Amino acid sequence: MISESEQNMRDERDEQAVSRFVERFASEMTEAGMQRMASRVFAALLADDDGSMTSAELAVALQISPAAVSGAINYLTQVSMVGRERDPGSRRDRYRLHDEVWYTTFAQRDRVLTRWENTLKDGARTLGEHTPAGARLAETAAFFEFVQEELVGMMDRWREHRKTLDLPTADERGGQRAGA
């Protein structure tokens, strides 16, 4: 339930400016490699005060088909950026950003890097570490190992840094726990 002052702030919000932000951020994410529709849906959820919308709300907000929403949501849930929940007393699904979505996303990339690193090391041994291809794979594996070590330290530093910021907690935002 939102307070009257929060509702007034929402009513005063320039919806065209919000839409421009959503499209701009979605474009940035698309340029970085995310699927276009998934970028748009993610940006719309990010710009929503609750961080959650139904498929119908997303379709209206983004002027896209329910099928486009479904495909985007499938991708976003697969990469654990969005969760699916039921509206109480309804058969409709609500899609919600996970709390600490970026932290969670990067933490999961840590596991991906570990798998890639191991596969690349195996490939380097298979090809011969002193062949040009094997050396390239060994260097790539070493790079991923370095990035992973740095990422772990960076994530720890972020946790400590976040404590110093005046940011609301998940409970204060009314959100759900990451991965929940």
Side-chain angles (χ1 to χ4, degrees), residues 40-94:
R40 293 182 72 212
V41 167
F42 180 80
L45 288 168
L46 195 62
D48 183 72
D49 283 334
D50 294 335
S52 90
M53 299 171 85
T54 65
S55 180
E57 291 167 339
L58 285 162
V60 168
L62 298 171
Q63 298 177 2
I64 59 177
S65 71
V69 171
S70 178
I73 289 295
N74 285 339
Y75 172 81
L76 292 168
T77 55
Q78 182 181 8
V79 297
S80 300
M81 293 178 81
V82 171
R84 186 183 316 242
E85 60 189 38
R86 260 315 154 194
D87 268 342
S90 171
R91 292 176 38 192
R92 290 188 305 173
D93 285 328
R94 177 164 291 280

Side-chain angles (χ1 to χ4, degrees), residues 2-180:
I2 64 172
S3 71
E4 189 175 328
S5 63
E6 288 174 321
Q7 185 61 47
N8 290 340
M9 288 173 59
R10 285 183 183 185
D11 293 343
E12 294 173 13
R13 191 172 285 161
D14 180 348
E15 292 303 321
Q16 287 183 336
V18 172
S19 182
R20 284 191 302 273
F21 161 77
V22 165
E23 294 304 327
R24 180 176 172 210
F25 190 63
S27 177
E28 295 286 340
M29 292 179 68
T30 300
E31 286 181 32
M34 184 183 271
Q35 298 172 356
R36 182 173 184 271
M37 238 6 105
S39 296
R40 293 182 72 212
V41 167
F42 180 80
L45 288 168
L46 195 62
D48 183 72
D49 283 334
D50 294 335
S52 90
M53 299 171 85
T54 65
S55 180
E57 291 167 339
L58 285 162
V60 168
L62 298 171
Q63 298 177 2
I64 59 177
S65 71
V69 171
S70 178
I73 289 295
N74 285 339
Y75 172 81
L76 292 168
T77 55
Q78 182 181 8
V79 297
S80 300
M81 293 178 81
V82 171
R84 186 183 316 242
E85 60 189 38
R86 260 315 154 194
D87 268 342
S90 171
R91 292 176 38 192
R92 290 188 305 173
D93 285 328
R94 177 164 291 280
Y95 306 106
R96 178 177 301 281
L97 293 178
H98 290 301
D99 284 332
E100 300 183 354
V101 66
W102 295 113
Y103 182 92
T104 303
T105 299
F106 277 85
Q108 289 175 342
R109 294 300 169 253
D110 182 50
R111 290 191 291 276
V112 170
L113 290 176
T114 298
R115 289 196 317 264
W116 288 1
E117 177 189 333
N118 291 335
T119 301
L120 287 162
K121 285 178 179 178
D122 288 345
R125 284 190 294 275
T126 299
L127 296 170
E129 293 178 15
H130 300 293
T131 66
R136 190 169 41 252
L137 294 181
E139 179 183 355
T140 304
F143 173 77
F144 286 142
E145 183 176 20
F146 174 81
V147 167
Q148 184 177 10
E149 288 170 6
E150 291 297 310
L151 185 59
V152 168
M154 183 179 66
M155 300 297 270
D156 290 341
R157 288 188 304 278
W158 165 250
R159 281 277 193 215
E160 290 306 310
H161 178 70
R162 191 187 190 295
K163 291 176 187 176
T164 69
L165 303 174
D166 187 25
L167 297 173
T169 65
D171 292 335
E172 292 167 339
R173 288 189 310 264
Q176 69 182 41
R177 292 274 174 239

